[in-house]
Amino acid sequence: MSTEAQTTAQTHPFQAEVAELLRLMVHSVYSETDIFLRELVSNGSDACDKLRYEAIAKPELMAQGGALAIRIRPDAAAGTLTVADSGIGMDRQELIDNLGTVARSGTRAFISRLSEAKDGAGLIGQFGVGFYSAFMVADRIEVTSRRAGAGEAWTWTSTGGAGFEIAPADEAQAARVPRGTEIVLHLKADAKRFLETYEIERIVSTYSDHILFPIELVGQEGEPRQINSASALWQRSKSELKPEDYTQAYRSVSGGFDEPAMTLHYRAEGRLSYAVLLFVPSVASYDLLDPSRKGHVKLYVRRVYITDEAALLPAYLRFVRGVVDSEDLPLNISREMLQNNPQVAQMRKALTGRVIAELESLATKEAKDSKAEPAEQSEDKSKEDKSKDQAEPPSYAKIWEAFGRVFKEGIYEDPERRDQVLGLSRFTTTVGDGRSLKQYVADLKPNQTDIYYLVGDSIERLKSNPKLEAARARGIEVLLLTDPVDAFWTSSPLGFDGKPLKSLSQGEVDFSLVPLVDEAAKPDDAAPSGAVDDTAVIAIVKAALGERVSDVRASRRLTDSAACLVAGGHGPDRELERLLARHNRGAGAAPILELNMRHALVKALARAKEAAREADVEDLAALLFEEARILDGEVPDDPAAFTARLNRLVMRGLAGAQ
């Protein structure tokens, strides 16, 4: 970078995603414009946190700029609102990087969702691009920043168009910012209400009261006064706090506008002492399925923010938001040391156990309440509660609906708590929705010893899967698993309450000891006169299909369909094989073809063999195999050959009928 470029104003284009984001902001994709002030105050708080952390090792960084604080100054005459902090500040390159680009995966998908979202404010806060929300209320923004310890200050200016300008701060700007960042919003005509002190106080009280640094409002007389409590809510006694205090703290921590579905506030004493304030949201955040699987619990040490990357909870609990404040960890602990610190490991174990125990308590209470309260009465009560505009009580069902698909990752990631996670899991089954394994085991059929499941990509397809036929005929409940994670956790040998979990698409199944729902529908096992025996038919089909199948056998799981494909008793399930194949992780073993020996198509194949119609035998064997693939949600390897074969068989049938 030349000296001239460092001392003169330069114009830079926005990253494409930022330009699109600003277009949405300028045209106000949603009406909840209060969000901008919450986000700017939150960014200022983060900047103060970062400086306080760096100043542990370099106290000289605090030499200029005064105490850590956030200051809001409305100027009605100029039509500007200024939000300034005395935090870490930014140098020239950091202004370009932080305010000109969005260095985060999934930005394009986020912008697409934001443009359609009704709750845009929640998305903005959760995604961490809140600075740009200021363009909802401002048609021009000036950002002056000086990195702590640096001699020069820089100014970033933009009207929310195609780009921004970077220039050295002038003398007046530099004098106002000895350290930190000053953001001056030139408000739009319809946003002048944000110059009113009562409006600013309302927003700060609602969203930012528990920011740990003083938030000062400069009135007309020019004197600043603190308008937030600036107290660590998690360090206060539960008896001092009201439900609305927790809601405000949750919204500040999560960046959302929903109500917390569960709140966990306690203090651990003993070998380790730490305060805990954790929340489970009501709705899933945008980044829930982000590949980084990053957690959202912030670590403080004696009220000093350290990091949100301490992984204080396992990845399958990444939906939990909140704060843990330790009294024992050293203030100068590095982020790298956190990974191997035995105290942190002990805290992680205790926190995980406590969160799961709280979820168990909530789930147990909900199950008892549902038994104690008749459905009609519950419905009436729900209407009554809504009419009184009361907040809904914590709901485990709501938590599961929002986060169950990631919580189930713990079944294979956390062997120590596997039984607990399984017990907390809820499933859609052939009986109903939201079923627990405890309910499943309580409703086992006579002589049923296993818990049966079927993995697929949609509930509708699973419900029509032929592998359910024999189970349905005996009233056996089957778990219908459609989340991608289901193909992985079911690959481990698992059980619940002494009952092993067994796939209906893997290995052999035998329901013969379980009574049929309708005994009159019991099939006649006697072979029809003159029929080719099962062994001969199986040998014929196996020879015709060759290496496309690893085996052919008579099915005990089919009652109506002609054939189905299953995996062997060892190795991955059929759905896991397909999932791995789609990600180029192996083609998988050839499947086993099971035949319903009583089906008309199988009997037709036997007759074709008796009559030496070899072409019909080849076509029927291939058709059975390809039909089974289609029923599994796959397509024939050669669609043209499949169509030609089907046409031949249809034409032969039509010719024979004439």
Side-chain angles (χ1 to χ4, degrees):
M1 183 68 66
S2 67
T3 304
E4 182 181 359
Q6 290 279 1
T7 57
T8 60
Q10 281 198 325
T11 300
H12 298 261
F14 280 121
Q15 178 191 32
E17 287 83 357
V18 173
E20 176 65 10
L21 186 60
L22 288 177
R23 185 189 67 77
L24 294 172
M25 295 302 168
V26 170
H27 293 89
S28 297
V29 295
Y30 51 86
S31 58
E32 197 71 60
T33 52
D34 290 0
I35 182 74
F36 88 91
L37 187 54
R38 183 193 74 174
E39 292 302 308
L40 295 185
V41 169
S42 178
N43 290 347
S45 174
D46 289 344
C48 291
D49 270 328
K50 290 175 183 177
L51 177 57
R52 186 161 63 169
Y53 179 76
E54 289 196 15
I56 295 170
K58 298 178 180 179
E60 64 273 14
L61 293 178
M62 298 285 288
Q64 292 184 337
L68 295 171
I70 299 157
R71 184 166 292 181
I72 303 172
R73 182 191 300 271
D75 187 335
T80 60
L81 180 68
T82 300
V83 180
D85 68 73
S86 54
I88 192 68
M90 292 174 279
D91 59 26
R92 180 180 183 278
Q93 191 58 47
E94 287 172 324
L95 279 169
I96 294 172
D97 293 342
N98 294 339
L99 303 186
T101 63
V102 181
R104 180 160 180 175
S105 63
T107 306
R108 172 55 55 191
F110 161 71
I111 291 173
S112 174
R113 182 173 167 186
L114 177 64
S115 65
E116 302 170 359
K118 295 178 181 177
D119 182 23
L123 288 175
I124 285 290
Q126 292 168 3
F127 197 75
V129 291
F131 168 78
Y132 303 112
S133 63
F135 281 100
M136 291 188 300
V137 298
D139 49 27
R140 184 165 176 265
I141 298 178
E142 299 169 5
V143 180
T144 301
S145 194
R146 188 196 301 266
R147 193 72 158 75
E152 67 281 353
W154 295 88
T155 298
W156 178 101
T157 307
S158 177
T159 58
F164 57 92
E165 185 181 90
I166 289 280
D170 62 33
E171 188 174 341
Q173 291 169 327
R176 291 199 306 269
V177 187
R179 183 190 74 222
T181 301
E182 175 192 79
I183 302 172
V184 180
L185 309 180
H186 294 261
L187 297 178
K188 297 177 181 179
D190 60 357
K192 295 299 173 67
R193 65 186 176 92
F194 294 111
L195 296 174
E196 302 291 342
T197 56
Y198 69 84
E199 187 73 1
I200 295 170
E201 290 187 63
R202 178 188 67 79
I203 296 171
V204 169
S205 174
T206 301
Y207 301 122
S208 308
D209 187 58
H210 302 296
I211 293 289
L212 285 180
F213 304 98
I215 301 173
E216 299 172 344
L217 176 61
V218 181
Q220 293 181 352
E221 65 283 358
E223 287 297 318
R225 59 186 176 87
Q226 186 171 326
I227 58 174
N228 70 320
S229 62
S231 64
L233 183 141
W234 54 87
Q235 292 286 0
R236 294 163 62 184
S237 168
K238 293 171 70 172
S239 60
E240 300 176 35
L241 302 173
K242 300 176 182 178
E244 52 265 33
D245 295 324
Y246 286 119
T247 298
Q248 289 177 10
Y250 162 72
R251 290 175 175 174
S252 177
V253 166
S254 70
F257 280 87
D258 58 316
E259 297 282 337
M262 188 180 86
T263 300
L264 185 57
H265 182 198
Y266 69 96
R267 173 177 291 279
E269 302 285 358
R271 292 178 59 189
L272 293 177
S273 178
Y274 51 90
V276 177
L277 180 59
L278 299 177
F279 302 99
V280 174
S282 300
V283 297
S285 62
Y286 173 76
D287 60 354
L288 183 66
L289 300 180
D290 192 280
S292 66
R293 304 171 77 220
K294 182 182 176 183
H296 296 278
V297 177
K298 296 181 179 181
L299 174 64
Y300 283 74
V301 174
R302 295 187 288 282
R303 298 170 183 78
V304 176
Y305 170 73
I306 302 299
T307 183
D308 60 357
E309 298 180 1
L312 293 173
L313 290 172
Y316 67 89
L317 291 176
R318 60 186 175 274
F319 53 86
V320 177
R321 272 26 183 196
V323 170
V324 175
D325 192 350
S326 170
E327 298 292 333
D328 304 297
L329 291 171
L331 273 173
N332 60 351
I333 188 169
S334 69
R335 290 171 173 83
E336 292 75 22
M337 290 171 60
L338 285 171
Q339 303 301 319
N340 302 311
N341 186 281
Q343 290 177 306
V344 174
Q346 188 176 340
M347 286 170 56
R348 184 181 298 120
K349 182 176 181 179
L351 287 167
T352 303
R354 187 65 181 262
V355 169
I356 290 180
E358 196 72 13
L359 289 171
E360 286 179 325
S361 176
L362 186 60
T364 301
K365 181 179 183 301
E366 191 165 277
K368 288 180 179 177
D369 290 346
S370 65
K371 287 181 180 180
E373 196 170 286
E376 292 182 7
Q377 182 182 341
S378 178
E379 186 176 343
D380 292 341
K381 187 174 185 294
S382 177
K383 291 178 180 177
E384 182 183 343
D385 287 347
K386 288 180 181 178
S387 67
K388 293 179 180 178
D389 197 26
Q390 296 178 346
E392 291 186 18
S395 165
Y396 183 73
K398 180 179 287 188
I399 292 173
W400 180 261
E401 182 181 358
F403 308 111
R405 54 186 168 171
V406 299
F407 185 62
K408 282 186 288 187
E409 294 169 9
I411 300 175
Y412 70 90
E413 287 186 347
D414 193 346
E416 183 180 347
R417 298 178 181 84
R418 178 172 291 161
D419 290 344
Q420 288 178 286
V421 178
L422 266 174
L424 282 167
S425 297
R426 299 293 181 264
F427 303 96
T428 295
T429 77
T430 50
V431 169
D433 297 330
R435 296 274 291 173
S436 68
L437 291 183
K438 184 176 181 180
Q439 290 172 309
Y440 184 108
V441 170
D443 293 341
L444 286 176
K445 297 299 177 182
N447 302 323
Q448 181 185 346
T449 57
D450 296 328
I451 297 170
Y452 294 99
Y453 66 87
L454 197 57
V455 184
D457 57 8
S458 77
I459 291 294
E460 293 73 22
R461 184 170 286 165
L462 286 179
K463 285 183 176 179
S464 62
N465 195 300
K467 301 182 184 87
L468 289 175
E469 291 172 357
R472 188 180 289 120
R474 287 164 170 77
I476 295 173
E477 184 175 11
V478 179
L479 311 179
L480 305 176
L481 310 177
T482 58
D483 292 322
V485 68
D486 293 328
F488 291 94
W489 68 262
T490 53
S491 63
S492 303
L494 298 170
F496 182 83
D497 197 19
K499 305 294 187 292
L501 272 74
K502 184 170 179 57
S503 171
L504 284 184
S505 63
Q506 185 176 27
E508 296 197 51
V509 296
D510 184 1
F511 298 138
S512 58
L513 296 178
V514 180
L516 286 161
V517 174
D518 182 5
E519 285 292 337
K522 187 173 182 179
D524 183 8
D525 290 332
S529 176
V532 178
D533 63 62
D534 292 356
T535 304
V537 173
I538 287 170
I540 292 165
V541 175
K542 190 170 184 179
L545 295 177
E547 294 183 355
R548 283 184 286 180
V549 295
S550 61
D551 196 8
V552 179
R553 65 190 182 204
S555 179
R556 294 180 178 179
R557 68 191 94 207
L558 299 175
T559 59
D560 301 316
S561 300
C564 68
L565 295 173
V566 299
H570 304 284
D573 181 78
R574 281 280 296 156
E575 183 63 22
L576 181 56
E577 282 187 345
R578 285 197 294 271
L579 195 63
L580 295 174
R582 283 199 294 268
H583 291 80
N584 298 318
R585 297 187 180 180
I592 296 169
L593 178 67
E594 288 195 352
L595 300 177
N596 179 358
M597 307 310 295
R598 300 177 184 84
H599 195 276
L601 200 57
V602 177
K603 292 179 179 179
L605 186 148
R607 290 194 297 272
K609 181 62 178 177
E610 281 187 334
R613 300 197 310 271
E614 296 302 328
D616 284 0
V617 171
E618 291 288 333
D619 282 345
L620 286 168
L623 183 65
L624 287 167
F625 175 73
E626 288 162 349
E627 276 189 356
R629 289 196 62 174
I630 292 170
L631 288 169
D632 262 0
E634 301 180 44
V635 296
D637 290 329
D638 188 343
F642 169 75
T643 303
R645 181 179 301 112
L646 189 60
N647 288 342
R648 286 196 301 270
L649 289 168
V650 171
M651 293 308 297
R652 287 173 196 159
L654 290 173
Q658 292 176 354

